[in-house]
Amino acid sequence: MTIEPVTESMSGSALRLPRARVVPLSAPPSSYTAAVERYLTGAGITKSSARIYRISLTTWGWMLAGEPAPTGPARRAAKPPVFPVTAIDDPALPEILAELAAARADEMDADTVNRELSIARKAIGWWQRQGWIEGDPTIGIERRPAPPDRTKALAENQINALWRLDVALREKTIWKLLYESAARADEVLCLNVEDLYPQDKRGRITAKGGATEWIHWQSGTAQLLPRLIARRTRGPLFLTDRKAPAGTPTLDVCPETGRARLSYRRAEEIFEENTRLLANPLASPDDIDNLDGWTLHRLRHSALTHDAEGGTSTPMLLARSRHASVRSLERYARPGVDAVARHVAERDPAARRRT
């Protein structure tokens, strides 16, 4: 963005005062959707993060158009509104946006709301620097307090129940790989067949910040991968059940089957739907539509917590989680409820006397 001085006369006199005028670095995109894609490619967003950013910015697209964002199953079939990115400068938008954001925050968990708000502000800031828009309608919208959740790590009996679910091979492999590797779901879903080293039980991923790193798995994943890959030699590891629609990026299409890469959103939906009864063991199957299941991130959280409970050293936990600091690791290294129960039982004086 460049700023050109503009002169104005005052009351017909020769006095001229400079006024700043923003000159866009390039022509504004024709639509908000196009502006999102320009941001994702122009701002250096990594491939593994682009999916999450696109989902969040699509959600915010509804609210920036002055409409409530769809939730639940309706979200998949909903088509984002079409409007020019310059509409973000509408002076009436901040008030409308604040109401829509507050209503959404009442329906969603604080972590999701805060993540989406952060992504929207990053994109808006980038668009401002391009000179496409001037204002930020999210100013005044506050982050929601997120109390710490001490129950994110699943108990080992819950993990075992998960493996017993009757699901497709693709889902079995994703879930097993996420738990055994303790990797992030978006990283795993971005894996290609050529990124795998089956004999070493490892895979090459693009992590946060664009760094190339390795994830490692165990025998459960090793047994499933050959069946999932079949005879494929390249392309996305996890595929949808249908042919890729027109316009799907080449990197997200299997060159051998023509099917598309499985999206994070769809993988999350399938996992959540299949774990509703596991997450609510006292509920009736008749109420399944009104229940909430688990998130994919809980597999990573559980793996690291179980490692910590088993005595894995801090340096190894840091290497396995690929966190940069011990502080980031603290929330994962907290023993779960079953580990605390065992600890208390093992130190019960009455129990020791009985044995």
Side-chain angles (χ1 to χ4, degrees):
M1 178 179 68
T2 59
I3 299 178
E4 291 185 353
V6 179
T7 59
E8 292 181 344
S9 61
M10 181 178 292
S11 302
S13 67
L15 177 62
R16 294 182 180 273
L17 300 176
R19 175 170 57 87
R21 181 176 66 190
V22 176
V23 179
L25 292 175
S26 59
S30 59
S31 67
Y32 171 79
T33 302
V36 169
E37 295 305 318
R38 293 273 289 274
Y39 165 66
L40 295 177
T41 56
I45 306 301
T46 64
K47 181 181 175 182
S48 60
S49 299
R51 295 174 180 276
I52 305 303
Y53 275 57
R54 185 177 289 108
I55 292 171
S56 296
L57 291 172
T58 299
T59 297
W60 269 85
W62 290 92
M63 297 190 289
L64 290 169
E67 304 176 32
T71 57
R75 180 176 179 175
R76 292 191 62 204
K79 294 184 177 180
V82 178
F83 62 96
V85 69
T86 52
I88 293 176
D89 281 331
D90 185 340
L93 181 58
E95 183 177 353
I96 298 173
L97 192 62
E99 294 180 1
L100 292 171
R104 178 169 173 77
D106 290 339
E107 298 179 359
M108 308 296 292
D109 65 275
D111 287 338
T112 298
V113 169
N114 292 338
R115 181 182 67 250
E116 291 179 344
L117 176 60
S118 176
I119 290 173
R121 283 177 169 161
K122 289 177 181 177
I124 288 172
W126 192 83
W127 295 329
Q128 287 175 318
R129 292 191 293 275
Q130 307 312 302
W132 300 342
I133 60 175
E134 295 182 3
D136 180 355
T138 70
I139 292 177
I141 299 177
E142 298 181 355
R143 291 173 59 85
R144 290 294 171 116
D149 186 353
R150 305 303 189 194
T151 64
K152 283 187 176 180
L154 302 173
E156 292 184 6
N157 66 313
Q158 292 175 309
I159 292 292
N160 291 332
L162 179 66
W163 305 148
R164 293 194 293 269
L165 289 180
D166 183 14
V167 295
L169 172 63
R170 181 187 66 188
E171 274 59 60
K172 288 181 180 179
T173 310
I174 293 174
W175 303 350
K176 186 73 76 167
L177 177 54
L178 286 174
Y179 180 72
E180 291 187 350
S181 68
R184 298 176 180 88
D186 55 334
E187 297 170 340
V188 165
L189 291 169
C190 283
L191 278 170
N192 291 329
V193 174
E194 57 267 35
D195 295 327
L196 307 181
Y197 293 75
Q199 292 182 339
D200 299 323
K201 296 181 183 176
R202 69 177 63 169
R204 185 179 58 237
I205 61 165
T206 301
K208 284 185 175 181
T212 299
E213 297 179 346
W214 295 92
I215 60 172
H216 306 261
W217 54 81
Q218 297 169 325
S219 297
T221 301
Q223 293 171 2
L224 295 170
L225 279 175
R227 295 166 52 197
L228 179 74
I229 297 171
R231 297 181 179 179
R232 292 187 291 134
T233 59
R234 57 199 177 107
L237 174 59
F238 297 107
L239 301 172
T240 57
D241 297 325
R242 301 177 180 178
K243 295 288 185 180
T248 302
T250 303
L251 290 175
D252 292 330
V253 179
C254 174
E256 299 175 15
T257 65
R259 290 151 60 192
R261 186 187 304 275
L262 181 68
S263 70
Y264 184 103
R265 180 175 67 179
R266 183 57 184 147
E268 182 86 298
E269 287 176 349
I270 295 173
F271 187 66
E272 190 274 333
E273 290 168 1
N274 279 278
T275 56
R276 289 177 182 177
L277 291 179
L278 295 183
N280 303 273
L282 299 182
S284 167
D286 296 335
D287 298 328
I288 192 168
D289 290 338
N290 300 317
L291 302 176
D292 292 324
W294 296 328
T295 63
L296 287 172
H297 178 71
R298 295 188 70 172
L299 293 175
R300 168 176 165 85
H301 196 113
S302 302
L304 295 172
T305 297
H306 296 164
D307 274 1
E309 292 171 351
T312 300
S313 67
T314 298
M316 182 56 70
L317 285 173
L318 280 172
R320 186 152 151 74
S321 67
R322 291 171 286 111
H323 279 118
S325 68
V326 174
R327 184 173 182 180
S328 300
L329 188 65
E330 287 178 353
R331 56 178 171 164
Y332 299 99
R334 180 181 295 273
V337 61
D338 285 350
V340 174
R342 287 195 300 269
H343 173 84
V344 173
E346 290 169 358
R347 287 157 179 77
D348 183 350
R352 288 202 298 268
R353 284 196 296 270
R354 286 196 296 272
T355 57

